[in-house]
Structures are given as structure tokens and as C-alpha cells.
Amino acid sequence: MAEAPEAVPRSRLILFVFMSALLVPGYFYVAGSSLTVYRLVLLALFPLLAWRWITGAAGKPNTVDILILCGGIWIILGLIANHGFGVLPFAGILFVEGFGGYLIGRMLVRNASDFKRYFTFYTILFAILLPFALVEMVTGKNLLRMFFDVFLSLPPRQVNLGLRLGFVRPQTVFHHPILYGLMGSMGFANVLYIYRKQFMKSLRLGAFFLFVTFTALSSGPMLSILCQCGLIFWDRTLRFLRGRWALLAICAFMGLGLLRLAEEFNIVDFVINNLTYDPTTAPGRLINFEYGMAEIQRHPFFGIGQNDWVRPWWRKPSFDNFWVGYAMRYGIPTFLFLVLAILVSFAKISSKDLSETESDYRTGYLITLIGVVITLGTVNIWEAANVFVSIYIGMGAWFYTRGGSGRPAVDPAVRERRMAQARAFGPEGNRPLAPRPEKGQAAGTAGAAAGTPSLRTRRNGL
């Protein structure tokens, strides 16, 4: 659906402002409630985004939208069931962060140009963060937190992380180094595919996000990069094979099935024990997994809310598995709504006919989504990082919500050329066809007499 010309720049500005707000750490208090800068911006935008979504400004509400909405509503119900109606302000904030973050991506990223521009903004923001991350690695001083601490209330910095490879693990503006690294990893495959036809630029930007992810010195984000590299290798090696992704899925399921039968293979054990910087953390992660699953069995529908979870006395309350923690806190229905939303979105995006350029964008998007989904089995996300992931899920909707004709989309380069052709024929976009030449009269002469360029003239001029 077409947008008014002036709405497009405004959407770009809103997107950049909100992404920037996500990188402002700290809280301030209004009427006893803690707010962040990004929450304030999102609360202001939410009514407009919701209205545009309801009225179909970016396509009619679809199955993925409804599933995300239902998940947000169930979170509210679960918190009320566990803590009463006094928790409504907090529950409302969580709803706005989840569904509102999704709507940011859903409503403000509507085509290939918006998608590319999002990652241009993403690159700029992480280019600003990287020097501060390097200073923090070497000196242990978080200059950004020191600056924002003058204006806002900041939670205590993570102090129990220890050194890795002789460096301090930087967290920059996020709550934990692992969140900084995970957000960096989300740019890797996307920029490689967005600039696939510009090899050197693709290589430079891919290396940039790889380095950003490495500086976090966290195994979870590097696992995401590893997954993305494997999928990229598969895609480029077998690009001549149309069914390469179906073949990969079959091979993966068969491989896991055989390992399970042959050696009682457990993928959670394998990832935790073999794909982490510090293998000594594996027992603790497995304890979290086992005790978290036990809590889910005891509280399947509404979860435990913000109550403390049962665990060994020596374990801290932090939980490093998003999927298990999500189901444990808010119930199995909330978990299922989110998983189904991702699966349905994945299926819709995969089945859409797209231009070559948009197909590249889709490949980078889905590879990154797979990497993030796998990595969330070893890390937890909250607040700004959670909103970034919600935006990412929402921004995938443009692949399947434009138009609805089912025909392949027009390549952006072709669209630009057609617009240039339309401008060349004047503001109306076309002119009357020249009358047929009389017998014996040259076509070019007849066209000139009618005031319309001949076919040869038009071709040469364009």
C-alpha cells in the first residue's frame, strides 16, 4: 500500500530516533514507575503504531501479528494471576516493549530500501559504540555509563565477570557483555547479503560486525556467528541447487536422530559443554535448564511471574536460557505463541516470490534469525536487547505483506529506472502516443510533427 511521500522521511527519522534511544542506558522515575528513554519514546509512538496496524496502513493484520499480540496479552494475564492487579503498570510496560517493539519493525520497515536503511543505521550506531567497547576492554572503564550516570539512574555494572583472554568483557550501554555481543552478531549475515554484489563492501562490513561480536568475549554471540557462517557456506556452495534448504533441514533432523539413537546425544549438553569460552560454566547452565523445566511443569499455564524460581542454594537468580526462562516466567502458552509466530513468519517469508535483490535480503534475514533462535537457548535477553529482537521479528513482515498479488516483486534497481523514465516524460508520467505516420512518411517525422519523441529518440534519450 502506497504511503504519502512526506510520510516516508518521517518514518525513517522515527526509526533512527528509536534505535538511538535503545542505546541510552539508565532509568528515571515518573509517579513511582521506572522509565527509560526508549520506553518513553515507545509509549508515545505506540498509539499511532497500533492505529496504523489496525487500519491496515501496512497491510491487513495477519496470523503472525495476532500470535505476537496474544503472547503479549498472556503475559499480562500471567502476571495478574501471580501478583494481582497491582502489577498492571509493569505488565503494561512489558506488553508495550514486546508488541510495540514488534510494531516498530512491522510498520516502519516496509520495503527493501527501508530494510537496507535499517542496517545502515545499525552499522552507524555500532560504529559509535565500538571505540568505547575497546576502551572498556583495555582499561575496564565504561565511559558511556560514566557519562549517562550524571543524568540517569543506572543499575550496578556487572562486576563478577572476570577476565577473558586477558581483557575485560565490555558491556557498553547494555546490561551484560553477552547482550552487546548478541546485538552485534545480528548485523553479520545481513550486511553480507545486502551488499553481496559489492564484494569489498560486504567483506568490510561483515568483518566489522564479526569484530564487534568478538569484542564481547562471550560464547553465546560467537555461537550465533558460527551458525550464520555455516549457513552462509551451505548457501553459497550449493547455490545451484534449488532445494538446498530443504535438503539441509532433512540432513539436520536425520543427523540429530541418528546421534540420539546411537549415543543418547543431547544437543543442550553438547552446546553447553563444547561451544562456550568457559566449559566450567556448563554444570551451572545444565542445572538452570533442569530446574527451569521443573518449574514449567509445576506452573504450566501462567508461569511463576516475577516470583523467585526454585534452585540449589548456591545458584544465583539469573537465568541464561531465554526459551526456558520465557516459559517459566509467563507460561507455556506465551512460549507457544512466540514460537508459532516465528515459525509462521519463517514459512511465509520463505515461500514468497521475490526479486533477486530482495531474495538476497531474505537469505541474510533468515540466516540471522536462525542464529539468534539457536543462541537464545544459551543466553537470556531483556529490556533494550529484547526490543531489538522484537523489532527484528516484526521487520520480516515486509517480505510477505506487500501487495498480495503473489507475483514476483520488482527489483529496486528496475523500479528506480522506471521512475526515471516516468520523470523523463513529464510530471504526468506519460504522454499521448504519436499518430501513425501516413504512408510514405518516416516514423521519426510523424513523431516530431506530433510533438512526441520517436521510439528511437526515446531509447537513445533513456
Side-chain angles (χ1 to χ4, degrees), residues 34-299:
S34 64
L35 291 176
T36 60
V37 173
Y38 79 81
R39 282 177 179 172
L40 187 65
V41 176
L42 188 54
L43 286 170
L45 291 175
F46 185 77
L48 174 63
L49 294 170
W51 174 251
R52 286 172 57 80
W53 173 68
I54 292 170
T55 56
K60 294 181 180 179
N62 57 64
T63 306
V64 180
D65 302 342
I66 301 303
L67 287 169
I68 295 292
L69 175 63
C70 289
I73 292 173
W74 200 271
I75 287 176
I76 296 176
L77 295 177
L79 288 173
I80 292 175
N82 280 283
H83 307 288
F85 287 96
V87 79
L88 269 177
F90 174 72
I93 286 292
L94 291 184
F95 174 82
V96 171
E97 283 188 349
F99 187 58
Y102 171 83
L103 289 181
I104 288 285
R106 172 79 167 84
M107 306 304 294
L108 300 183
V109 180
R110 298 301 310 138
N111 51 51
S113 297
D114 290 343
F115 186 85
K116 183 177 181 179
R117 189 173 295 106
Y118 175 87
F119 283 100
T120 299
F121 294 160
Y122 206 75
T123 304
I124 292 171
L125 293 174
F126 273 89
I128 294 171
L129 289 182
L130 182 58
F132 295 99
L134 296 176
V135 171
E136 190 176 355
M137 285 181 69
V138 175
T139 68
K141 295 185 180 298
N142 191 321
L143 300 181
L144 289 171
R145 286 177 59 89
M146 292 169 64
F147 173 77
F148 285 109
D149 195 33
V150 177
F151 312 100
L152 301 168
S153 299
L154 270 69
R157 186 183 185 279
Q158 295 287 333
V159 295
N160 59 336
L161 300 173
L163 298 178
R164 280 191 180 169
L165 304 180
F167 294 103
V168 176
R169 298 171 62 190
Q171 66 183 77
T172 62
V173 296
F174 295 96
H175 288 280
H176 195 283
I178 206 166
L179 302 181
Y180 165 67
L182 182 61
M183 295 305 100
S185 74
M186 291 175 67
F188 179 68
N190 281 296
V191 296
L192 287 177
Y193 277 91
I194 288 172
Y195 298 102
R196 185 178 66 82
K197 295 180 181 178
Q198 300 169 260
F199 178 73
M200 291 308 299
K201 187 171 185 177
S202 170
L203 197 63
R204 287 196 305 270
L205 290 175
F208 167 76
F209 278 109
L210 177 61
F211 183 66
V212 167
T213 307
F214 171 77
T215 59
L217 300 175
S218 297
S219 52
M222 291 307 297
L223 173 61
S224 176
I225 292 289
L226 181 64
C227 292
Q228 293 177 52
C229 286
L231 292 171
I232 292 169
F233 177 79
W234 178 273
D235 176 54
R236 302 316 300 162
T237 303
L238 299 178
R239 58 185 178 275
F240 60 88
L241 186 62
R242 185 176 179 83
R244 58 190 178 278
W245 296 115
L247 176 63
L248 177 62
I250 292 170
C251 291
F253 280 115
M254 289 182 62
L256 289 174
L258 289 173
L259 287 170
R260 181 72 176 173
L261 290 173
E263 302 181 15
E264 291 297 317
F265 176 78
N266 187 304
I267 189 170
V268 176
D269 290 356
F270 177 81
V271 171
I272 290 175
N273 283 290
N274 297 280
L275 299 178
T276 57
Y277 274 105
D278 186 1
T280 61
T281 64
R285 292 173 183 266
L286 290 172
I287 288 173
N288 282 8
F289 181 81
E290 293 171 3
Y291 277 77
M293 293 300 293
E295 288 283 32
I296 292 171
Q297 293 175 11
R298 287 192 290 269
H299 309 276

